[in-house]
Amino acid sequence: MEDDAPVIYGLEFQARALTAQTAETDAIRFLVGTQSLKFDNQIHIIDFDDENNIINKNVLLHQAGEIWHIGASPADKAVLTTCYNKSDFCLFAASDSRVVSCAAVWRMPSDWDIGSHESPDDSAHNPQTLELLCHLDDGTHGNAACVLWEPMGDGKRVISLADNHALLWDLQESSTQATVSSSATLEGKGQLKFTSGKWSPHHNCSQLATANDTAIRGWDLRSMSQIYCIENAHGQLVRDLDFNPNRQYYLASCGDDCKVKFWDVRNVQEPVKTLEEHSHWVWSVRYNHSHDQLVLTASSDSRLILSNMVSISSEPFGHLVDDEELSEGEDNHQDDKSKEPLKDSVVSTYEEHEDSVYAAEWSSADPWLFASLSYDGRLVINRVPRALKYRILL
């Protein structure tokens, strides 16, 4: 098979939750959560064999409800979080039932491991059930939107965003107990409900960015106070955020105005750069973990786009520079044409999906490989084109 050819896997269920395995990153692994009203929902564990270009799948039951968000522990490959919907029949009459969004921490069964089944389809026919470790809601903070693990942490701290609350949890007793150590509440005008967030890997992991309505806010987790606000970051709802892994002040956002924007949070008056390549809502934006000029965006125009945003990366001149160098101004580079920033470009537009693409994730084990997920349950694994890969490396 051609080296850059995509590998496609069909879940046979609708799905919109995708994450990459981050703990013990020797294997290329993605986790997918399904959405089904008729059947028990599932977590599909997808291991990609890069040498043979094949997918090995295993399935675990998630009987709590439809999965809207999934996160993998950075410290334990068997532990994950989900945000899921369930019908609340306990407090209301059946005719007045409501759907509530919950969050929980789970563990894969202790006797379960990838490759332990007699055939790849064993776990699909006889799936085991995830073990509930603890809930991340006490019923007073509203509907959970997402759960964020502390980047590069020991798996002991998570943040949940629920309605207008940001809750910092400490996980104890092998994650079987969770206590809220601090919290922040969104106040003001407009739609006061968090839609997404990202825990910054910089500043000793002491900062959080959140999206609500058209605004983006930054928070200091030590005081749980707001440190910046981009009031009208997008013309419509902000869907997703991601921090540049190499430039501590740079943040990417995307939204229902079909745009992807890049911000320097030290000066939030205007975005540093704006992309307008999508024709419908943009649901996901992801920086490559190693090469921050590579940015993935996923949209309900059924397309995934890989962009080379080299001019605002940590290597704008083809070599590594830090924020201090870039802040010195353009004067130092006026006379040396060889130091002009390289040009940004769309590298590839991927059209293997036939439905809205809700999520895209880079592999934690291979910086040149990524996955995307569309609502019809199609997972597509792709690679950065070889020509660009070697241009970056050489």
Side-chain angles (χ1 to χ4, degrees):
M1 188 176 288
E2 186 184 334
D3 191 34
D4 288 341
V7 179
I8 299 174
Y9 168 70
L11 276 74
E12 300 176 3
F13 288 95
Q14 292 178 328
R16 62 195 300 161
L18 169 70
T19 193
Q21 178 77 64
T22 53
E24 300 178 36
T25 54
D26 52 331
I28 299 169
R29 177 179 290 184
F30 296 97
L31 307 179
V32 182
T34 67
Q35 292 192 331
S36 173
L37 293 174
K38 294 182 179 179
F39 304 99
D40 283 334
N41 282 282
Q42 303 172 342
I43 300 288
H44 287 234
I45 298 98
I46 307 298
D47 273 19
F48 182 62
D49 180 345
D50 194 28
E51 287 188 12
N52 298 304
N53 228 37
I54 58 173
I55 281 174
N56 296 307
K57 68 159 185 178
N58 280 273
V59 176
L60 294 170
L61 289 180
H62 181 279
Q63 295 172 321
E66 290 183 294
I67 303 165
W68 288 80
H69 185 271
I70 187 170
S73 165
D76 187 339
K77 66 179 181 180
V79 174
L80 60 129
T81 54
T82 62
C83 294
Y84 57 92
N85 279 0
K86 69 172 184 178
S87 295
D88 189 347
F89 294 105
C90 302
L91 302 178
F92 300 89
S95 60
D96 193 28
S97 64
R98 62 170 185 169
V99 174
V100 294
S101 299
C102 306
V105 185
W106 308 86
R107 177 177 288 280
M108 298 177 189
S110 55
D111 59 343
W112 179 92
D113 192 18
I114 202 102
S116 63
H117 307 282
E118 293 178 10
S119 76
D121 291 324
D122 269 8
S123 70
H125 294 310
N126 301 293
Q128 296 191 52
T129 301
L130 285 167
E131 175 192 349
L132 175 65
L133 293 179
C134 63
H135 290 287
L136 294 175
D137 43 58
D138 54 14
T140 62
H141 293 110
N143 291 313
C146 63
V147 175
L148 313 169
W149 289 90
E150 181 178 19
M152 302 165 291
D154 58 4
K156 299 287 179 64
R157 295 208 305 167
V158 295
I159 291 171
S160 67
L161 301 180
D163 283 351
N164 63 327
H165 302 282
L167 308 168
L168 179 60
W169 300 82
D170 288 331
L171 301 179
Q172 294 126 4
E173 304 298 328
S174 301
S175 301
T176 58
Q177 293 181 16
T179 57
V180 176
S181 61
S182 56
S183 64
T185 302
L186 192 58
E187 297 174 342
K189 300 176 181 176
Q191 179 71 345
L192 297 179
K193 186 178 289 189
F194 291 119
T195 51
S196 65
K198 203 73 177 183
W199 196 328
S200 172
H202 308 294
H203 314 289
N204 293 319
C205 298
S206 64
Q207 293 186 11
L208 166 74
T210 61
N212 71 286
D213 200 11
T214 62
I216 298 170
R217 299 168 198 274
W219 306 84
D220 186 328
L221 296 174
R222 295 164 297 188
S223 59
M224 282 311 223
S225 57
Q226 189 173 298
I227 50 178
Y228 59 82
C229 180
I230 311 173
E231 282 288 359
N232 292 296
H234 285 263
Q236 297 180 53
L237 187 71
V238 181
R239 290 283 178 186
D240 198 20
L241 306 168
D242 200 23
F243 281 99
N244 185 313
N246 299 331
R247 300 192 66 185
Q248 60 182 328
Y249 300 109
Y250 273 59
L251 175 72
S253 64
C254 62
D256 286 2
D257 57 2
C258 313
K259 296 177 182 179
V260 179
K261 297 187 179 184
F262 299 87
W263 306 89
D264 182 337
V265 299
R266 296 168 298 183
N267 179 13
V268 297
Q269 301 306 311
E270 294 289 338
V272 177
K273 205 89 175 178
T274 300
L275 292 179
E276 301 185 47
E277 300 295 335
H278 287 287
S279 59
H280 208 267
W281 304 344
V282 187
W283 286 84
S284 181
V285 58
R286 287 291 179 272
Y287 278 105
N288 186 287
H289 308 307
S290 304
H291 309 285
D292 57 288
Q293 64 265 53
L294 300 178
V295 178
L296 288 172
T297 53
S299 166
S300 40
D301 63 9
S302 303
R303 297 185 302 158
L304 178 75
I305 294 179
L306 172 62
S307 299
N308 188 17
M309 303 304 296
V310 66
S311 73
I312 54 172
S313 74
S314 57
E315 300 185 9
F317 309 106
H319 63 275
L320 192 67
V321 294
D322 58 26
D323 280 342
E324 283 69 28
E325 280 185 75
L326 292 168
S327 299
E328 288 172 2
E330 298 300 321
D331 298 338
N332 298 341
H333 306 300
Q334 288 291 326
D335 301 325
D336 190 349
K337 292 297 182 185
S338 68
K339 287 189 175 180
E340 287 185 2
L342 302 172
K343 294 288 191 291
D344 299 331
S345 62
V346 170
V347 176
S348 295
T349 299
Y350 300 91
E351 300 188 349
E352 291 89 7
H353 293 284
E354 297 176 359
D355 205 339
S356 296
V357 188
Y358 282 127
E361 293 287 348
W362 292 97
S363 165
S364 299
D366 183 342
W368 310 107
L369 191 139
F370 53 91
S372 53
L373 177 68
S374 51
Y375 188 52
D376 56 5
R378 179 176 295 185
L379 180 80
V380 180
I381 295 177
N382 268 297
R383 299 174 180 86
V384 173
R386 277 175 293 174
L388 176 59
K389 171 182 174 179
Y390 294 133
R391 194 156 75 239
I392 291 172
L393 290 175
L394 302 176

